[in-house]
Amino acid sequence: MTSTVSAKPVSWKGKGKATNSEADFYDLNPMITYRLLHSRNLGVKDPLRVIALCDSDAFYAACEQIRLGIDPSRPLVVQQWDSLIAVNYPARKFGITRMEKIKEAKKKCPELVVVHVATYKEGEKEPGYWENPDTSTHKVSLDHYRRESMKVIRMFQEGLPSGEIEKASIDEAFIDFTRPVREEILRRYPYLSQVPADAPNGADSPLPPPPPIMWDGLGTVLPVNAPSPVNSVIAVDAPGDQGISYDDSEGIDNGDDSTTWHDVALAIAAELMGKIRHDIHMKVGYTTSAGIARNKFLAKLTASYKKPNSQSILRNAAIPNYLRPLPFQKIRFLGGKLGKAIAEEYEASTVGDLLSISLGQLMQRKFGEESIWVYEILRGIDRSEVKEKSAVNKSMMASKNLPNPIMKASQGPHWIRVLAAELALRLREAREEMPALWPKTLVLHARQSYDASRSKQAAFPFTRDASVDVIASAGDKLWKELVGTDNSRTTPLKITNVALGFTGVGVMEVGQRSIDAFLKPPSTSKEAQGTDTPVKRKRDSHDDAQDARRDLVRRKSGSDGEAVPDRATYFVCNECGKRISLPGDLVGDGLEQVIVKEALEALRVEHTDFHYAQELSKELGDSVGSPRKFRPSSGEQTQPGTKKRKPKQSGGIAKFFAAK
Ligand code: TTP
Ligand code: CA
Ligand code: CA
């Protein structure tokens, strides 16, 4: 893509005053000085902050269309039981919406392609597109959509190595363009990298006026002056399937000549976003729609301005007229009780209606702590960061609402098997990305009719092969503890939801290190003794491996060895006497103590597993996997000429550590 912003140097003529007289929306044209431009870590206060939200069009429908190789112009919907969950744009032309029943949709469009979402059924390890799936026996699988979603996210990451990316849902992500855009501004306008000698306030002088911007080809630029008719009906957090009509003012900016450096930043971000969206379409087939603005809230709002396959840009100058007519209850978090309370309190319906209420007034009413947030969001201010969610302590949950409630305890295991199949698949796939990943806890939730859900949890056995059987039998045990058996129950049962999940799924960078260490030759004489021990167990008997591990954990976790301080980020291993620390980047992140504790616990389990695996490896006389993938750490050498086994045959711990 060619540069669309003129690179003509401009003579120094500072203009530092806000040009916008919109008193309600202050800070729309902040002064940008050389110092601010040259600062790298201004975070959410950066006056050149640029954020995008990119959302896939009719996502599940697109996934099915691509999976089945169907012409994208054919109307297609995705069905879940009796309802539609995704409607592609050609089908929307027939007036079909997500709210419709299949029958009505087919009446509107007889040639409609209807695909039922994949489901799990008992006894099948993989979800499938079965004939006549039934909600009383099957469970929806979103696995294919998750996988496709990851492909798109990876393209964002590849397209923007220096930008932060936050997956916001299965089909959308926020992208922080601030850094790459700033780099690009300094590259295109090299005269900005030095403070001019005649600048009156040195580095605190404002930048010279920006060059003119050619918006053509960059997307739809929202109008500064006239509120678009679209604005008043557009949904903030809702899908763009309510039949909105759009003006096609691609690249047109009606009637504002006060270009700012922030506009330049938006234009560059739009170029980058457009390129990434184009690549996604070419390489994985999905069309997307993006919104580009100064913060997350506005980016999300702008993304649905024009769909599908398009991008929209909200200049700061356009914020007031875009927000004012917006029904405020469409703003996320203002839709529920809070929004209703505000609407009643002030007899208001649009953002504009609420702008005359001062922060003090809001605070005096019942909005308490939320007042500041409400006050700011109405003015288009959002200080939340784009942040990749921490990999520590993730959870994976498979849940099933039961239209036919479970009335007998003996019906539980059917659903536990179905849920276990989903968990097994998700864990397996997650491990393809990150092999050193394991869940610490398995938790089972069950909801009795309208009561709150109750749950039971237990440590999940360490095993590389977290098969459906392993998960289901652990789940069955929890079921017995939570619900009992048909014979043990005295009260009637009516369970309407059952969910099985992994919590504390640890992704430790140190995992790799331990794996490295694990492949090192035994270093102590005690360890060396075991090398000749003949193989006693069948290699794929992971149950044995688990039992042995449990023994080991019992033997070794009696005490932590040397006393460590309360807020420690390390522990001292009894077995090897080594001090084992959390990785620096984890600790330095200002993580909450509870997370640090969890991470430390995961590390402890992992370290114990490492010792256990070492012992097991000796017992098996095995090098476990291919050493080429796992380089030895800290200068120690991999044992040369170690006997190798075919990874395929390995099981349990050995399999866990086998190279993929
Ligand atoms: P959305 O992004 O809300 O909608 P969409 O991608 O289908 O359409 P649009 O082009 O307007 O963005 O949701 C993403 C996917 O999430 C959607 O394809 C199906 C699923 N979904 C549901 O299963 N149930 C729902 O109620 C919603 C809103 C979405
Ligand atoms: Ca979408
Ligand atoms: Ca979405």
Side-chain angles (χ1 to χ4, degrees), residues 499-557:
L500 189 66
F502 288 133
T503 59
V505 182
V507 192
M508 296 286 131
E509 291 294 328
V510 285
Q512 191 64 46
R513 255 198 277 143
S514 288
I515 294 169
D516 295 343
F518 166 64
L519 288 160
K520 277 183 267 162
S523 54
T524 66
S525 57
K526 195 180 125 229
E527 281 166 350
Q529 281 168 15
T531 352
D532 296 324
T533 317
V535 178
K536 281 187 250 163
R537 294 190 179 127
K538 260 177 72 190
R539 287 191 41 78
D540 55 359
S541 163
H542 54 74
D543 287 342
D544 284 359
Q546 279 168 32
D547 288 343
R549 171 180 172 270
R550 271 186 226 114
D551 284 342
L552 184 95
V553 173
R554 262 199 294 281
R555 271 188 281 129
K556 291 183 179 165
S557 58

Side-chain angles (χ1 to χ4, degrees), residues 62-275:
C63 288
E64 298 300 349
Q65 174 255 313
I66 289 169
R67 184 180 66 84
L68 297 166
I70 291 171
D71 180 341
S73 67
R74 285 181 66 188
L76 181 151
V77 292
V78 178
Q79 173 191 3
Q80 176 180 318
W81 321 129
D82 289 340
S83 350
L84 298 185
I85 51 172
V87 179
N88 76 354
Y89 283 79
R92 291 184 202 190
K93 285 204 179 125
F94 290 85
I96 298 170
T97 71
R98 222 201 294 274
M99 306 301 143
E100 228 120 4
K101 295 277 173 231
I102 307 290
K103 253 193 185 162
E104 301 160 35
K106 281 227 155 181
K107 249 189 242 162
K108 287 182 178 173
C109 172
E111 71 268 35
L112 186 67
V113 181
V114 182
V115 186
H116 194 287
V117 61
T119 53
Y120 288 93
K121 71 175 184 186
E122 193 185 347
E124 302 285 345
K125 283 193 178 150
E126 306 275 334
Y129 292 86
W130 322 110
E131 261 185 50
N132 304 321
D134 184 343
T135 178
S136 63
T137 47
H138 295 55
K139 184 205 173 297
V140 166
S141 150
L142 302 180
D143 302 291
H144 179 62
Y145 310 140
R146 269 191 209 106
R147 275 192 292 267
E148 294 300 289
S149 165
M150 280 318 296
K151 285 188 194 167
V152 175
I153 296 284
R154 256 179 249 127
M155 302 255 341
F156 290 145
Q157 289 162 341
E158 280 166 25
L160 212 70
S162 71
E164 196 76 31
I165 289 147
E166 175 186 322
K167 194 171 188 297
S169 82
I170 196 157
D171 79 331
E172 63 197 74
F174 287 104
I175 304 170
D176 191 336
F177 278 100
T178 313
R179 230 163 84 147
V181 161
R182 187 182 243 90
E183 285 161 11
E184 192 58 22
I185 288 181
L186 289 167
R187 203 184 62 76
R188 286 187 195 179
Y189 312 105
Y191 57 90
L192 294 179
S193 51
Q194 297 290 330
V195 182
D198 60 343
N201 292 318
D204 293 313
S205 310
L207 300 182
I213 301 171
M214 319 287 226
W215 291 104
D216 303 82
L218 293 183
T220 304
V221 183
L222 273 67
V224 171
N225 295 321
S228 154
V230 174
N231 291 4
S232 55
V233 290
I234 205 147
V236 177
D237 203 25
D241 59 358
Q242 45 273 87
I244 303 165
S245 62
Y246 301 103
D247 57 343
D248 263 343
S249 55
E250 178 96 355
I252 298 202
D253 172 26
N254 18 352
D256 180 84
D257 53 2
S258 58
T259 295
T260 67
W261 278 106
H262 189 262
D263 293 332
V264 175
L266 288 170
I268 292 173
E271 257 183 73
L272 299 171
M273 186 78 256
K275 187 173 178 328

Side-chain angles (χ1 to χ4, degrees), residues 33-66:
T33 60
Y34 287 90
R35 192 185 304 284
L36 287 170
L37 178 70
H38 299 162
S39 309
R40 299 280 156 149
N41 296 309
L42 297 171
V44 299
K45 292 196 186 115
D46 197 320
L48 289 175
R49 194 165 183 241
V50 187
I51 310 292
L53 179 105
C54 189
D55 177 277
S56 297
D57 300 322
F59 185 56
Y60 291 5
C63 288
E64 298 300 349
Q65 174 255 313
I66 289 169

Side-chain angles (χ1 to χ4, degrees), residues 599-641:
L600 203 59
E601 197 42 47
L603 190 61
R604 195 194 300 276
V605 170
E606 180 196 69
H607 188 78
T608 313
D609 286 332
F610 150 62
H611 281 303
Y612 167 64
Q614 247 181 351
E615 287 188 7
L616 184 75
S617 138
K618 278 178 291 165
E619 213 170 297
L620 300 170
D622 176 38
S623 76
V624 200
S626 144
R628 84 201 122 76
K629 187 127 186 202
F630 304 123
R631 276 166 284 107
S633 57
S634 58
E636 289 178 60
Q637 281 180 352
T638 313
Q639 195 171 14

